[in-house]
Amino acid sequence: MQDIATQLRDAAEVYRCWARTPAEHSHRDVAAEHRTICDRAIARDVPGVVEALSRHINITTRLLLDDYEQREGAPEQGPGSSPG
């Protein structure tokens, strides 16, 4: 289970870093989200863990999709092109 969790965390980190810069996470306390997940797991609060983990994954997914949509909708700025 630890190996699977490590692999999932590593994969998620790659996508997170690919999609966003650290400044764009300033509104989000990821450490607190992780603490909540851990605290609920240690307390054996299965519904609480499921809820906290689902919320964490859904927020991350929404942020990634929002970034993707913004990039796809924005005109590309190639060499020699002038903004706006």
Side-chain angles (χ1 to χ4, degrees):
M1 290 297 282
Q2 281 184 315
D3 288 342
I4 292 170
T6 299
Q7 290 172 7
L8 289 171
R9 184 177 53 249
D10 290 347
E13 184 68 11
V14 167
Y15 289 112
R16 186 189 66 79
C17 290
W18 168 76
R20 304 184 70 75
T21 63
E24 292 173 292
H25 287 286
S26 61
H27 67 281
R28 185 175 181 198
D29 189 351
V30 176
E33 293 175 28
H34 289 174
R35 258 190 318 278
T36 299
I37 294 165
C38 288
D39 290 345
R40 291 179 181 179
I42 290 168
R44 297 182 183 206
D45 175 8
V46 174
V49 170
V50 169
E51 186 271 331
L53 188 55
S54 295
R55 184 171 358 115
H56 177 70
I57 291 169
N58 287 331
I59 290 169
T60 303
T61 302
R62 181 178 45 81
L63 291 171
L64 288 170
L65 290 173
D66 287 350
D67 282 353
Y68 175 78
E69 289 170 1
Q70 287 177 6
R71 280 194 308 270
E72 288 297 306
E76 290 191 31
Q77 296 294 320
S81 63
S82 60

